[in-house]
């Protein structure tokens, strides 16, 4: 497969199934969904992978506490909590990998044997602190009075004969990689952290555990299971056929997507993705991911929201009140991607009302109402407006540049600015005044057409962020009949003015963003 036709391949972290999802998890996956939908609308072929991380002590302990076997526990949580959560948030992933699936376990074992054959694995003794919540061997600097700085819980001391990966051998190559490809780790603050970590002296990594058995057996030493992070990181490659022969379905899939274009991760798991993972790939002579992007944390009371601290908010708590698309919109709009941000019901309520209900929703419902009233419910003759057209041109190129650079806030702002511009146009032109005199009919039609075509563009541009709402709007404009499904509308074409055909029948659909009081149960 030629380089040009390689799919845009994006991954989210695979989530621990020790508990149900909270909005911190949803934040990463929604960002991935928005970005992949945007790339699809650019006409690219896309592969979007998510899944669950099911091995390790954390999941095993939770299953035990709940009187369940780990496998039963994972099966239950995946089917009753995780998959329904992604369906509720309208996440259009292409594949969902579970690390307990044979396709993953077999390929992990084969990969590890390959590294051993190449001399990258040796046996040794590990002694030191381990945080079960992070599933991570800790350095003294990672602890505060014996507690993990992230989770605030006591770490356990591990002393085991394990298998080690020669991670330290790859440090010079990793430093060179980030020098040559600064875009491989973003934002810059994350890259700087990785570089100073690499410069501070990295030790070899223990990649197996012998004191419990919930994991993938080390193929040549089945008393040991593979360290959960070594197992988990490989999901990005096992899900697309790692190591399969070139002419098999797995081998073909691998050739069509590898290397990943973006690994989306939270900043707490940056080192795994920007140090250990590329070193594993270097050891196996595989091309490195083009980008690891570390986003910030959703905070509650100034601290990372987490289930272990009982601060986790379920996504459904928010979607039940504000709706799914407002959820998808809010976090990407309110928090610069890469920075931490606090969630507040008040701020979300304020933005919902001013930006979504007033600026966007009302614009659409007023336009539909006026076309029904003044134009018999049919889109009037195609018209043009130089200023709106010029503004749309700039909007599309700014929004596209921002979105593909993962600046979701910048992208949404550009689209929202255009929305405000269209509101300004309607206020200036006062179609309701024009409508009072039949002599103004041509002018009135022109204003309504321009507004309708601007809303057509807004619907397409907002589709990746708010898929269901924009689809409703698309149908109200009669555009699905005349222009085909909204998901097929291309970003590269959206700035072309005059696409909404004259004569399309508009219909008053459901209110796009109902007033919040009306949602009270
Ligand atoms: N299983 C590992 C990832 C393995 S990837 C090969 C893991 N799982 S996790 O469920 O704990 O977290 C998954 C993702 O959710 C991480 O990117 C993490 O940053 C993100 N978040 C968890 N809590 C978060 C917030 N409060 N805010 C934003 N993101 C957060 O780590």
């Amino acid at each position: 497969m030629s380089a040009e036709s390689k799919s845009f391949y994006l991954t989210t972290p695979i989530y621990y199934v020790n508990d149900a999802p909270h909005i911190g998890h949803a934040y990463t996956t929604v960002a991935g969904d928005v970005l992949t939908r945007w790339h699809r609308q650019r006409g690219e072929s896309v592969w979007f992978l998510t899944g669950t991380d099911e091995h390790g002590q954390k999941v095993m302990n939770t299953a035990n506490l709940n009187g369940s076997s780990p496998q039963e526990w994972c099966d239950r949580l995946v089917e009753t909590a995780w998959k329904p959560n992604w369906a509720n948030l309208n996440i259009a992933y292409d594949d969902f990998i579970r690390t307990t699936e044979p396709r993953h376990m077999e390929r992990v074992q084969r990969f590890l044997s390959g590294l051993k054959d190449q001399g990258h694995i040796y046996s040794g003794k590990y002694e030191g602190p381990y945080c079960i919540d992070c599933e991570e061997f800790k350095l003294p600097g990672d602890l505060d009075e014996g507690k993990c700085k992230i989770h605030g819980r006591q770490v356990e001391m591990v002393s085991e004969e394990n298998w080690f990966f020669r991670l330290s051998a790859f440090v010079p190559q990793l430093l060179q990689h980030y020098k040559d490809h600064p875009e491989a780790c973003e934002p810059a603050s994350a890259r700087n952290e990785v570089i100073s970590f690499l410069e501070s002296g990295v030790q070899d990594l223990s990649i197996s555990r012998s004191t419990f058995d919930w994991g993938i057996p080390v193929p040549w030493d089945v008393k040991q299971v593979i360290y959960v992070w070594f197992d988990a990181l490989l999901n990005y490659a096992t899900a697309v056929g790692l190591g399969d022969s070139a002419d098999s379905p797995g081998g073909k899939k691998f050739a069509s997507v590898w290397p990943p274009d973006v690994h989306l991760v939270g900043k707490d798991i940056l080192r795994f993705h920007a140090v250990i993972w590329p070193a594993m790939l270097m050891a196996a002579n595989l091309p490195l991911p083009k980008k690891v992007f570390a986003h910030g944390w959703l905070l509650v009371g100034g601290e990372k929201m987490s289930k272990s601290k009982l601060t986790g908010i379920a996504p459904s708590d928010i979607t039940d009140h504000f709706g799914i698309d407002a959820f998808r919109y809010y976090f990407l709009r309110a928090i610069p991607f890469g920075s931490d941000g606090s969630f507040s019901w008040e701020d979300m309520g304020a933005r919902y009302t001013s930006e979504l209900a007033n600026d966007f929703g009302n614009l659409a419902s007023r336009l539909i109402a006026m076309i029904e009233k003044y134009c018999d419910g049919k889109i009037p003759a195609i018209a043009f407006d130089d200023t709106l057209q010029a503004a749309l041109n700039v909007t599309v190129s700014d929004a596209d540049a921002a979105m593909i650079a993962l600046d979701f806030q910048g992208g949404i702002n550009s689209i929202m600015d255009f929305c405000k511009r269209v509101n300004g146009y309607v206020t200036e032109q006062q179609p309701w005044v024009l409508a009072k005199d039949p002599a103004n009919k041509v002018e009135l039609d022109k204003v309504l057409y321009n507004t309708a075509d601007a809303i057509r563009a807004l619907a397409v541009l907002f589709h990746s962020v708010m898929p269901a709402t924009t689809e409703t709007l698309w149908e109200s404009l009669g555009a699905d009949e005349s222009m085909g499904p909204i998901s097929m509308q291309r970003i590269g074409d959206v700035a072309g003015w005059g696409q909404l055909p004259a004569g399309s029948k508009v219909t008053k659909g459901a209110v796009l963003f109902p007033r919040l009081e009306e949602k009270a149960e």
Side-chain angles (χ1 to χ4, degrees), residues 476-499:
S476 293
L477 290 171
D480 54 333
E481 292 224 334
S482 53
M483 296 182 62
I486 188 167
S487 59
M488 297 306 289
Q489 309 301 312
R490 295 285 166 257
I491 299 298
D493 298 334
V494 70
W497 201 265
Q499 292 185 47

mmCIF file of all heavy atoms in Angstrom, residues 476-499:
data_model
loop_
_atom_site.group_PDB
_atom_site.id
_atom_site.type_symbol
_atom_site.label_atom_id
_atom_site.label_comp_id
_atom_site.label_asym_id
_atom_site.label_seq_id
_atom_site.Cartn_x
_atom_site.Cartn_y
_atom_site.Cartn_z
ATOM 1 N N SER A 476 -33.766 19.433 8.914
ATOM 2 C CA SER A 476 -34.656 20.603 8.923
ATOM 3 C C SER A 476 -34.451 21.460 7.686
ATOM 4 O O SER A 476 -35.384 22.060 7.172
ATOM 5 C CB SER A 476 -34.377 21.513 10.107
ATOM 6 O OG SER A 476 -34.689 20.929 11.268
ATOM 7 N N LEU A 477 -33.206 21.532 7.241
ATOM 8 C CA LEU A 477 -32.911 22.353 6.058
ATOM 9 C C LEU A 477 -33.310 21.642 4.766
ATOM 10 O O LEU A 477 -33.189 22.204 3.676
ATOM 11 C CB LEU A 477 -31.410 22.671 5.982
ATOM 12 C CG LEU A 477 -30.841 23.642 7.021
ATOM 13 C CD1 LEU A 477 -29.318 23.661 6.933
ATOM 14 C CD2 LEU A 477 -31.396 25.056 6.823
ATOM 15 N N GLY A 478 -33.746 20.402 4.897
ATOM 16 C CA GLY A 478 -34.082 19.605 3.708
ATOM 17 C C GLY A 478 -32.834 19.182 2.954
ATOM 18 O O GLY A 478 -32.878 18.729 1.814
ATOM 19 N N ALA A 479 -31.673 19.320 3.602
ATOM 20 C CA ALA A 479 -30.410 19.114 2.886
ATOM 21 C C ALA A 479 -30.084 17.643 2.681
ATOM 22 O O ALA A 479 -29.371 17.293 1.743
ATOM 23 C CB ALA A 479 -29.279 19.799 3.629
ATOM 24 N N ASP A 480 -30.593 16.761 3.550
ATOM 25 C CA ASP A 480 -30.260 15.342 3.357
ATOM 26 C C ASP A 480 -30.833 14.839 2.041
ATOM 27 O O ASP A 480 -30.218 14.043 1.335
ATOM 28 C CB ASP A 480 -30.700 14.478 4.547
ATOM 29 C CG ASP A 480 -32.160 14.653 4.886
ATOM 30 O OD1 ASP A 480 -32.702 15.741 4.593
ATOM 31 O OD2 ASP A 480 -32.759 13.714 5.425
ATOM 32 N N GLU A 481 -32.021 15.368 1.676
ATOM 33 C CA GLU A 481 -32.629 14.959 0.394
ATOM 34 C C GLU A 481 -31.877 15.562 -0.776
ATOM 35 O O GLU A 481 -31.634 14.908 -1.777
ATOM 36 C CB GLU A 481 -34.085 15.431 0.339
ATOM 37 C CG GLU A 481 -34.952 14.700 1.318
ATOM 38 C CD GLU A 481 -36.271 14.274 0.710
ATOM 39 O OE1 GLU A 481 -36.711 14.930 -0.251
ATOM 40 O OE2 GLU A 481 -36.835 13.274 1.194
ATOM 41 N N SER A 482 -31.511 16.836 -0.627
ATOM 42 C CA SER A 482 -30.929 17.513 -1.787
ATOM 43 C C SER A 482 -29.409 17.359 -1.894
ATOM 44 O O SER A 482 -28.854 17.404 -2.970
ATOM 45 C CB SER A 482 -31.289 19.001 -1.768
ATOM 46 O OG SER A 482 -30.928 19.562 -0.523
ATOM 47 N N MET A 483 -28.743 17.163 -0.759
ATOM 48 C CA MET A 483 -27.266 17.134 -0.810
ATOM 49 C C MET A 483 -26.663 15.829 -0.307
ATOM 50 O O MET A 483 -25.442 15.667 -0.321
ATOM 51 C CB MET A 483 -26.692 18.273 0.042
ATOM 52 C CG MET A 483 -27.054 19.651 -0.461
ATOM 53 S SD MET A 483 -26.295 20.945 0.536
ATOM 54 C CE MET A 483 -24.551 20.645 0.288
ATOM 55 N N GLY A 484 -27.485 14.910 0.195
ATOM 56 C CA GLY A 484 -26.953 13.648 0.728
ATOM 57 C C GLY A 484 -26.614 13.799 2.207
ATOM 58 O O GLY A 484 -26.739 14.877 2.772
ATOM 59 N N PRO A 485 -26.185 12.692 2.838
ATOM 60 C CA PRO A 485 -25.959 12.701 4.283
ATOM 61 C C PRO A 485 -24.920 13.742 4.708
ATOM 62 O O PRO A 485 -23.953 13.983 3.976
ATOM 63 C CB PRO A 485 -25.423 11.300 4.579
ATOM 64 C CG PRO A 485 -25.608 10.507 3.354
ATOM 65 C CD PRO A 485 -25.863 11.421 2.213
ATOM 66 N N ILE A 486 -25.127 14.304 5.869
ATOM 67 C CA ILE A 486 -24.204 15.347 6.345
ATOM 68 C C ILE A 486 -22.794 14.791 6.526
ATOM 69 O O ILE A 486 -21.808 15.487 6.277
ATOM 70 C CB ILE A 486 -24.735 16.009 7.649
ATOM 71 C CG1 ILE A 486 -23.868 17.211 8.004
ATOM 72 C CG2 ILE A 486 -24.855 15.024 8.799
ATOM 73 C CD1 ILE A 486 -24.453 18.109 9.072
ATOM 74 N N SER A 487 -22.685 13.534 6.951
ATOM 75 C CA SER A 487 -21.345 12.987 7.190
ATOM 76 C C SER A 487 -20.530 12.883 5.895
ATOM 77 O O SER A 487 -19.318 12.752 5.933
ATOM 78 C CB SER A 487 -21.443 11.610 7.845
ATOM 79 O OG SER A 487 -22.167 10.753 6.998
ATOM 80 N N MET A 488 -21.219 12.942 4.752
ATOM 81 C CA MET A 488 -20.501 12.858 3.481
ATOM 82 C C MET A 488 -20.064 14.232 2.969
ATOM 83 O O MET A 488 -19.429 14.342 1.919
ATOM 84 C CB MET A 488 -21.371 12.182 2.412
ATOM 85 C CG MET A 488 -21.734 10.748 2.732
ATOM 86 S SD MET A 488 -20.272 9.747 3.093
ATOM 87 C CE MET A 488 -19.562 9.649 1.448
ATOM 88 N N GLN A 489 -20.442 15.291 3.668
ATOM 89 C CA GLN A 489 -20.067 16.637 3.219
ATOM 90 C C GLN A 489 -18.597 16.873 3.573
ATOM 91 O O GLN A 489 -18.185 16.619 4.693
ATOM 92 C CB GLN A 489 -20.941 17.705 3.888
ATOM 93 C CG GLN A 489 -22.433 17.431 3.787
ATOM 94 C CD GLN A 489 -22.913 17.329 2.350
ATOM 95 O OE1 GLN A 489 -22.581 18.176 1.526
ATOM 96 N NE2 GLN A 489 -23.676 16.292 2.042
ATOM 97 N N ARG A 490 -17.826 17.354 2.619
ATOM 98 C CA ARG A 490 -16.386 17.486 2.802
ATOM 99 C C ARG A 490 -15.977 18.865 3.317
ATOM 100 O O ARG A 490 -16.488 19.882 2.852
ATOM 101 C CB ARG A 490 -15.671 17.231 1.466
ATOM 102 C CG ARG A 490 -15.839 15.811 0.969
ATOM 103 C CD ARG A 490 -14.966 14.853 1.780
ATOM 104 N NE ARG A 490 -15.352 13.475 1.555
ATOM 105 C CZ ARG A 490 -16.067 12.727 2.411
ATOM 106 N NH1 ARG A 490 -16.474 13.231 3.560
ATOM 107 N NH2 ARG A 490 -16.353 11.483 2.141
ATOM 108 N N ILE A 491 -15.024 18.868 4.219
ATOM 109 C CA ILE A 491 -14.487 20.136 4.745
ATOM 110 C C ILE A 491 -13.921 20.979 3.589
ATOM 111 O O ILE A 491 -14.095 22.195 3.549
ATOM 112 C CB ILE A 491 -13.370 19.858 5.791
ATOM 113 C CG1 ILE A 491 -13.925 19.058 6.973
ATOM 114 C CG2 ILE A 491 -12.704 21.150 6.254
ATOM 115 C CD1 ILE A 491 -15.009 19.729 7.770
ATOM 116 N N GLY A 492 -13.269 20.317 2.661
ATOM 117 C CA GLY A 492 -12.652 21.044 1.546
ATOM 118 C C GLY A 492 -13.671 21.731 0.640
ATOM 119 O O GLY A 492 -13.315 22.634 -0.122
ATOM 120 N N ASP A 493 -14.926 21.325 0.700
ATOM 121 C CA ASP A 493 -15.948 21.913 -0.186
ATOM 122 C C ASP A 493 -16.857 22.884 0.541
ATOM 123 O O ASP A 493 -17.657 23.583 -0.091
ATOM 124 C CB ASP A 493 -16.868 20.808 -0.759
ATOM 125 C CG ASP A 493 -16.089 19.810 -1.601
ATOM 126 O OD1 ASP A 493 -15.031 20.207 -2.132
ATOM 127 O OD2 ASP A 493 -16.539 18.651 -1.704
ATOM 128 N N VAL A 494 -16.772 22.909 1.860
ATOM 129 C CA VAL A 494 -17.822 23.593 2.622
ATOM 130 C C VAL A 494 -17.868 25.102 2.358
ATOM 131 O O VAL A 494 -18.932 25.729 2.434
ATOM 132 C CB VAL A 494 -17.700 23.252 4.132
ATOM 133 C CG1 VAL A 494 -16.494 23.885 4.758
ATOM 134 C CG2 VAL A 494 -18.939 23.620 4.898
ATOM 135 N N ALA A 495 -16.709 25.688 1.993
ATOM 136 C CA ALA A 495 -16.687 27.146 1.797
ATOM 137 C C ALA A 495 -17.344 27.568 0.483
ATOM 138 O O ALA A 495 -17.640 28.744 0.289
ATOM 139 C CB ALA A 495 -15.254 27.668 1.861
ATOM 140 N N GLY A 496 -17.577 26.614 -0.415
ATOM 141 C CA GLY A 496 -18.223 26.974 -1.688
ATOM 142 C C GLY A 496 -19.634 27.486 -1.419
ATOM 143 O O GLY A 496 -20.446 26.768 -0.827
ATOM 144 N N TRP A 497 -19.929 28.705 -1.828
ATOM 145 C CA TRP A 497 -21.217 29.321 -1.500
ATOM 146 C C TRP A 497 -22.302 28.850 -2.460
ATOM 147 O O TRP A 497 -22.023 28.532 -3.607
ATOM 148 C CB TRP A 497 -21.113 30.854 -1.549
ATOM 149 C CG TRP A 497 -22.193 31.512 -0.755
ATOM 150 C CD1 TRP A 497 -23.379 31.973 -1.230
ATOM 151 C CD2 TRP A 497 -22.201 31.720 0.649
ATOM 152 N NE1 TRP A 497 -24.137 32.473 -0.203
ATOM 153 C CE2 TRP A 497 -23.435 32.332 0.976
ATOM 154 C CE3 TRP A 497 -21.298 31.444 1.679
ATOM 155 C CZ2 TRP A 497 -23.771 32.684 2.281
ATOM 156 C CZ3 TRP A 497 -21.631 31.801 2.970
ATOM 157 C CH2 TRP A 497 -22.869 32.410 3.257
ATOM 158 N N GLY A 498 -23.513 28.817 -1.966
ATOM 159 C CA GLY A 498 -24.647 28.529 -2.847
ATOM 160 C C GLY A 498 -24.905 27.047 -3.042
ATOM 161 O O GLY A 498 -25.431 26.628 -4.069
ATOM 162 N N GLN A 499 -24.561 26.230 -2.064
ATOM 163 C CA GLN A 499 -24.746 24.772 -2.239
ATOM 164 C C GLN A 499 -26.147 24.285 -1.898
ATOM 165 O O GLN A 499 -26.605 23.277 -2.417
ATOM 166 C CB GLN A 499 -23.751 24.011 -1.354
ATOM 167 C CG GLN A 499 -22.315 24.185 -1.810
ATOM 168 C CD GLN A 499 -21.365 23.328 -1.005
ATOM 169 O OE1 GLN A 499 -21.591 22.143 -0.783
ATOM 170 N NE2 GLN A 499 -20.283 23.931 -0.557
#
